[in-house]
C-alpha cells in the first residue's frame, strides 16, 4: 500500500492492531449505491458500524491492520475518495444550498465540487478547513473554519411598493422599515439573507449584489477563535480564485504548524487582506 494512502485514509484506533478508515464525501452527499457499498465494507472488514464525522466524512471502524490493503483497494475500485489529513486542505463541508434549501442563495454543491477537484489536498503550513453555507444562517459554520463562505444577497429598493409589509414580516434582524409606501433598509443591520427580496410580491426590492461573504482565520480546538469577515460580498463565479488567493498568501507567509488565524494574529488582518487583493489578480488554478 502506498504511504500516502495510509496517511490519508488510516487513523489508528486506541486498540492495538485496529484502524478507522475515513472516506470523503462531496458536501456530505453520497448515492444510495455508495451507502450500500460502505455498509458492505463495514460488515466485511469492520464490525458493521459506520460513523459520520463532523466534517461530513464517513468512517469504518475496527479494520484489522492485515486487511488494510484489501479495503483500500475496494474503496478505490468503487470510485470512493479517501479523506485528507495533515498539513493540507482538508475535506470541504457544505450545506445543501440553493438546490434544496428555500433560504439558499449560493450553489454550495457546485462550489464544493470545484473546491474538491482543484484545492483539497494542497500542502500548506498547517491543516486548513473550508466550509461553505448557502446563506447567512451559516449552517455549515463558516465562521469557525480557516476559510468560510456563505451566500449573500444585498437588497436595494426599486419602485412599486404598496405597503404590504411582507419585507418587514420576513426580516429576522429588524433591518426593514416601510415609510410612505417606500421600503427603507438599515444596512448596518442587514445580513444579506435576501428574504425581503424573495418575499416582496411587487418586486419593489431587488438583489443589488449577490455572491459570497468570505471569512478567514476561524478554528475550534484548544484555542478557538471566530473568523474575520474580510469580504462582504464577492461574485459567486470568482469564489474559487478568492479561495486560492487566500491559500497562496498562507503558503507564502505561514510558518510551519501555523493556522491561517495564527498568521493573521501575527501580521494583522489588514495586511493579510491586502496580500490577498494583490495576489488574486495573478492566481493560477491547479
Amino acid at each position: 500500500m502506498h504511504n500516502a494512502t495510509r496517511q490519508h485514509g488510516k487513523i489508528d484506533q486506541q486498540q492495538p492492531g485496529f484502524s478507522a478508515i475515513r472516506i470523503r464525501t462531496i458536501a456530505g452527499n453520497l448515492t444510495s449505491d455508495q451507502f450500500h457499498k460502505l455498509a458492505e465494507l463495514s460488515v466485511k472488514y469492520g464490525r458493521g458500524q459506520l460513523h459520520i464525522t463532523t466534517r461530513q466524512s464517513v468512517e469504518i471502524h475496527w479494520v484489522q491492520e492485515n486487511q488494510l490493503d484489501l479495503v483500500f483497494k475496494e474503496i478505490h475500485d468503487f470510485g470512493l475518495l479517501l479523506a485528507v489529513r495533515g498539513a493540507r486542505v482538508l475535506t470541504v463541508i457544505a450545506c445543501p444550498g440553493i438546490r434544496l434549501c428555500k433560504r439558499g442563495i449560493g450553489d454550495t454543491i457546485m462550489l464544493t465540487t470545484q473546491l474538491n477537484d482543484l484545492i483539497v489536498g494542497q500542502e500548506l503550513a498547517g491543516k486548513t478547513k473550508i466550509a461553505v453555507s448557502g446563506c447567512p444562517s451559516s449552517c455549515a459554520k463558516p465562521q469557525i473554519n480557516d476559510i468560510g463562505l456563505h451566500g449573500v444577497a444585498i437588497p436595494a429598493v426599486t419602485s412599486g411598493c404598496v405597503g404590504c409589509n411582507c419585507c418587514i414580516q420576513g426580516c429576522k434582524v429588524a433591518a426593514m422599515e416601510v415609510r410612505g409606501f417606500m421600503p427603507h433598509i438599515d444596512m448596518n443591520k442587514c445580513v444579506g439573507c435576501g428574504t425581503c427580496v424573495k418575499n416582496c410580491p411587487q418586486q419593489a426590492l431587488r438583489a443589488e449584489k449577490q455572491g459570497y461573504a468570505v471569512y478567514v482565520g476561524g478554528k475550534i480546538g484548544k484555542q478557538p477563535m471566530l473568523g474575520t469577515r474580510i469580504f462582504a460580498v464577492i461574485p459567486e463565479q470568482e469564489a474559487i480564485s478568492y479561495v486560492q488567493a487566500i491559500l497562496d498568501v498562507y503558503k507564502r507567509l505561514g510558518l510551519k504548524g501555523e493556522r491561517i488565524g495564527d498568521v493573521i494574529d501575527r501580521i494583522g488582518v489588514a495586511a493579510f487582506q491586502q496580500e490577498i487583493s494583490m495576489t488574486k489578480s495573478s492566481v493560477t488554478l491547479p
Side-chain angles (χ1 to χ4, degrees):
M1 188 194 316
H2 194 279
N3 285 337
T5 301
R6 283 183 175 270
Q7 180 181 9
H8 294 313
K10 171 180 173 290
I11 303 164
D12 292 333
Q13 290 184 200
Q14 63 174 307
Q15 295 83 5
F18 290 96
S19 299
I21 305 303
R22 185 175 293 170
I23 295 98
R24 190 191 327 172
T25 71
I26 307 300
N29 294 318
L30 291 168
T31 66
S32 57
D33 286 343
Q34 289 171 328
F35 270 114
H36 281 297
K37 182 62 176 179
L38 290 173
E40 174 190 316
L41 292 175
S42 72
V43 172
K44 187 174 181 179
Y45 295 105
R47 296 186 179 179
Q49 177 179 323
L50 295 170
H51 171 70
I52 308 299
T53 74
T54 58
R55 296 206 64 77
Q56 298 178 333
S57 295
V58 182
E59 288 181 354
I60 302 171
H61 296 164
W62 298 103
V63 179
Q64 297 183 52
E65 182 73 24
N66 61 6
Q67 293 187 310
L68 288 172
D69 287 334
L70 297 174
V71 69
F72 279 129
K73 184 177 187 306
E74 289 206 44
I75 289 169
H76 177 269
D77 290 348
F78 195 74
L80 289 165
L81 299 170
L82 293 173
V84 176
R85 303 175 63 215
R88 46 186 59 84
V89 179
L90 306 186
T91 301
V92 180
I93 67 170
C95 72
I98 198 170
R99 298 193 187 187
L100 292 176
C101 181
K102 64 182 181 181
R103 295 185 178 89
I105 299 168
D107 190 342
T108 58
I109 306 302
M110 179 183 71
L111 178 55
T112 304
T113 301
Q114 293 171 334
L115 289 169
N116 182 76
D117 292 340
L118 297 171
I119 287 174
V120 168
Q122 287 188 28
E123 295 190 358
L124 299 163
K127 64 181 177 181
T128 300
K129 299 179 179 181
I130 302 176
V132 183
S133 281
C135 76
S137 294
S138 298
C139 294
K141 304 176 180 64
Q143 295 89 346
I144 58 171
N145 282 258
D146 298 274
I147 302 173
L149 302 95
H150 69 63
V152 288
I154 308 301
V157 177
T158 58
S159 61
C161 177
V162 296
C164 69
N165 290 339
C166 287
C167 56
I168 295 175
Q169 294 164 9
C171 183
K172 303 299 184 184
V173 294
M176 293 297 306
E177 184 180 359
V178 176
R179 301 194 300 267
F181 297 103
M182 180 62 70
H184 293 267
I185 308 166
D186 186 341
M187 298 309 299
N188 292 320
K189 293 182 179 179
C190 179
V191 296
C193 68
T195 302
C196 59
V197 176
K198 294 177 182 178
N199 284 0
C200 181
Q202 303 300 320
Q203 297 182 332
L205 295 160
R206 64 181 176 86
E208 183 178 40
K209 296 180 181 179
Q210 186 165 318
Y212 285 101
V214 182
Y215 296 78
V216 292
K219 65 176 183 177
I220 50 175
K222 296 181 179 66
Q223 295 179 308
M225 63 175 69
L226 285 175
T228 300
R229 190 180 72 176
I230 56 171
F231 297 109
V233 54
I234 62 168
E236 186 167 22
Q237 64 270 22
E238 295 184 32
I240 296 288
S241 59
Y242 271 94
V243 171
Q244 187 59 63
I246 294 168
L247 294 175
D248 288 347
V249 171
Y250 177 38
K251 287 177 188 176
R252 187 167 69 251
L253 301 180
L255 304 177
K256 184 177 181 180
E258 278 190 325
R259 299 280 289 272
I260 291 178
D262 300 322
V263 177
I264 291 172
D265 278 350
R266 177 162 53 81
I267 71 169
V269 67
F272 193 83
Q273 185 173 3
Q274 185 178 20
E275 290 284 342
I276 294 167
S277 298
M278 291 189 298
T279 300
K280 183 183 176 296
S281 61
S282 60
V283 162
T284 301
L285 296 175

